Amino acid sequence: MKRREFLRTSAPFTALPFLMNGTPLTALGKPDIMNALSRAFVNTDHVLVLIQMNGGNDGLNTVIPVDQYTNLSKARSNVMIPLAKVLILDDVTGTGLHPSMTHMRTMFNEEKLGIIQGVGYPNPNYSHFRSTDIWNTASDSNEVLYSGWVGRYLSNEFPNYPEGFPNASMPDPLALQVGSVVSTVCQGVSVNMGMAISDPTAYYALITGNYTDSPSTKAGKELDYVRKVAEQSNAYGLVVKAAGEKGNNKSTKYPDPGTNRLSDQLKIVAQLISGGLKTRIYVVNINGFDTHAGQVDATGGNETGNHARLLGWMSEAIDAFQDDLEQLGLDERVMGLTYSEFGRRIKSNFSLGTDHGAAAPMFLFGKNVKPGILGSNPTISSNVEVNDNLPMQYDFRSVYASVLKDWFCLDDTEVDSVMTKTHQQLPLLEDTCNTSSTDRAKMRTAGDAYVMNYPNPFVDSTTIRYEADGTHVLIQIFSSQGQVIETLVNSEIPNGEHEVVFNSSSLASGTYYYRYQRGSFQQTKAMIKQ
């Protein structure tokens, strides 16, 4: 058996067998890439905190399109948030937040929070497991990748691991997950660096290194390698423990321990960062967003119930964490983002819930995040069908690619290598890597000036008129379920105004969407076939 095959089929390893404040920690080292060339890693002290909202968050009841309230209420009257309860945002018209998100509303108004509308991917998958894999690995929906996007980033930065690690330049784990399960987001190309120690014998062997001799078999070398990684994990365990003892928390906003699981996790992250860890990636999670039933509490009002509690916990935890970073003097170094494997359908079900859907908003927070809302409210039809979904405005992989470039300061070639292909860059962060920034206000409104279709509604065909500037243009047609029907344009287009005809004679009547992308600009618009 080859070592690569052995490691891929073995149990995950390098989970640290200890608790901090009663919460398990998992350390993730960088995977070994056999043929990677050694190079100096990017010298950055930036930290990224990933918050996974497990289950598929209902974006329409999170970031509420108030300007679509009439039609949205028809589609989901039994779960819709009362208009009077929606949290209004400063300097924003037509969009509000769920009433449980008071803390995040304050962060938005204080320009510490950004919202990205309509994040998803073409041809969405509605399986929790498969869609989570897609988001964690940054694959296409019809593609299976065995490495996570964070794992590939760390591979790119530290190609020789585990040889020579820990060392003076990087003495600490490259990523830390708070919890007992290692996420695939940090899975490397050849090895998952998580190990769960479940019995005393294995634990003390890890500490002392007193293992029994490796068997004289073909797998002996592989076992020696696993033990080497385990020894390094123990070394990481010691530095994490030391950082936890050295670090502290200053915010008084954290709720009592055990009352908010996400807050407990983020409090540990702040403590470890303040303790001096050079770890670049932290992964935390909040469970329970699979709200098929009981999303709202009919007796207490649609602004109450399971979804309200989850959003309240998340809002409280992120606000306390950001306050802690500011008081610790760490807010310049840390940014966070939330993600969920999918959104929920536009139309609610009869169980006071919503079913698996497609696109949903993402949140970014931190001192260097560009504040405001990127993208526009979705257009809600007056006759929403049960399978209708929100159209994708931004590909989630564009978010990842932009973070890699503008937060971790990778160049374009490195970003494309980590993401396995080129993705649209988005203006999500201030100028943290001395790169040119895009005017966010211009981007939010420019789409209307660049693309339109006529006639609309149409019978058999419609013409899409668009402007180009000599760069790459992508125009795709999507169904209301998020499936890609046709790619009309996918190439560099000369400067000027252009037209392309969409022939829909073979399609049924209904609502379709066309998505225009030109560099960092994009626009998604609805069109009606009669």
Side-chain angles (χ1 to χ4, degrees), residues 65-85:
V66 177
D67 60 359
Q68 304 291 310
Y69 196 87
T70 299
N71 288 342
L72 194 59
S73 296
K74 294 177 183 178
R76 47 168 55 201
S77 61
N78 61 343
V79 302
M80 192 62 190
I81 303 301
L83 184 58
K85 300 286 187 178

Side-chain angles (χ1 to χ4, degrees), residues 186-230:
C186 291
Q187 167 69 46
V189 174
S190 61
V191 57
N192 187 320
M193 299 301 291
M195 176 179 283
I197 306 299
S198 58
D199 63 86
T201 301
Y203 174 73
Y204 288 114
L206 177 63
I207 292 177
T208 63
N210 293 326
Y211 301 105
T212 57
D213 292 337
S214 300
S216 182
T217 65
K218 292 182 179 180
K221 292 183 178 180
E222 282 76 10
L223 181 57
D224 284 338
Y225 180 78
V226 171
R227 288 173 172 175
K228 177 183 178 72
V229 174

Side-chain angles (χ1 to χ4, degrees), residues 119-295:
V119 186
Y121 56 91
N123 305 318
N125 189 292
Y126 303 120
S127 160
H128 290 290
F129 301 105
R130 176 61 188 138
S131 194
T132 296
D133 280 344
I134 290 170
W135 276 78
N136 283 342
T137 64
S139 71
D140 290 336
S141 62
N142 62 349
E143 173 189 30
V144 176
L145 296 179
Y146 295 98
S147 59
W149 73 277
V150 167
R152 294 193 299 273
Y153 158 65
L154 295 175
S155 299
N156 182 72
E157 291 296 280
F158 307 95
N160 291 323
Y161 189 92
E163 299 297 330
F165 285 79
N167 55 45
S169 297
M170 192 58 189
D172 305 329
L174 306 185
L176 273 172
Q177 175 151 351
V178 183
S180 56
V181 179
V182 179
S183 171
T184 55
V185 74
C186 291
Q187 167 69 46
V189 174
S190 61
V191 57
N192 187 320
M193 299 301 291
M195 176 179 283
I197 306 299
S198 58
D199 63 86
T201 301
Y203 174 73
Y204 288 114
L206 177 63
I207 292 177
T208 63
N210 293 326
Y211 301 105
T212 57
D213 292 337
S214 300
S216 182
T217 65
K218 292 182 179 180
K221 292 183 178 180
E222 282 76 10
L223 181 57
D224 284 338
Y225 180 78
V226 171
R227 288 173 172 175
K228 177 183 178 72
V229 174
E231 291 171 3
Q232 289 175 320
S233 297
N234 184 56
Y236 286 140
L238 296 177
V239 298
V240 170
K241 185 173 184 294
E245 293 172 346
K246 180 181 178 182
N248 63 91
N249 302 104
K250 291 187 176 181
S251 178
T252 59
K253 289 187 174 183
Y254 290 112
D256 292 338
T259 62
N260 183 329
R261 173 65 178 152
L262 180 61
S263 175
D264 292 343
Q265 296 173 70
L266 290 176
K267 187 174 183 180
I268 290 173
V269 172
Q271 181 181 355
L272 292 175
I273 297 173
S274 73
L277 279 190
K278 294 183 178 181
T279 299
R280 294 190 181 183
I281 310 286
Y282 291 86
V283 184
V284 298
N285 65 83
I286 176 171
N287 298 316
F289 286 93
D290 194 18
T291 53
H292 289 284
Q295 177 172 319

Side-chain angles (χ1 to χ4, degrees), residues 40-152:
F41 60 84
V42 175
N43 185 18
T44 177
D45 64 352
H46 286 172
V47 175
L48 174 65
V49 180
L50 298 174
I51 300 177
Q52 184 173 2
M53 304 162 69
N54 295 312
N57 178 49
D58 180 16
L60 283 173
N61 269 20
T62 303
V63 179
I64 302 170
V66 177
D67 60 359
Q68 304 291 310
Y69 196 87
T70 299
N71 288 342
L72 194 59
S73 296
K74 294 177 183 178
R76 47 168 55 201
S77 61
N78 61 343
V79 302
M80 192 62 190
I81 303 301
L83 184 58
K85 300 286 187 178
V86 176
L87 298 179
I88 303 302
L89 301 171
D90 287 355
D91 301 320
V92 174
T93 301
T95 307
L97 295 181
H98 190 286
S100 292
M101 302 175 69
T102 54
H103 298 287
M104 289 178 71
R105 191 262 297 268
T106 299
M107 290 180 64
F108 182 93
N109 292 340
E110 293 177 350
E111 299 190 342
K112 301 172 185 176
L113 181 78
I115 301 171
I116 313 174
Q117 291 271 38
V119 186
Y121 56 91
N123 305 318
N125 189 292
Y126 303 120
S127 160
H128 290 290
F129 301 105
R130 176 61 188 138
S131 194
T132 296
D133 280 344
I134 290 170
W135 276 78
N136 283 342
T137 64
S139 71
D140 290 336
S141 62
N142 62 349
E143 173 189 30
V144 176
L145 296 179
Y146 295 98
S147 59
W149 73 277
V150 167
R152 294 193 299 273

Side-chain angles (χ1 to χ4, degrees), residues 466 468-474 489-495 498 518:
Y466 64 98
D469 62 357
T471 60
H472 188 271
V473 173
L474 175 67
V489 180
N490 188 16
S491 63
E492 292 187 358
I493 302 298
N495 184 64
H498 302 268
R518 193 199 75 185

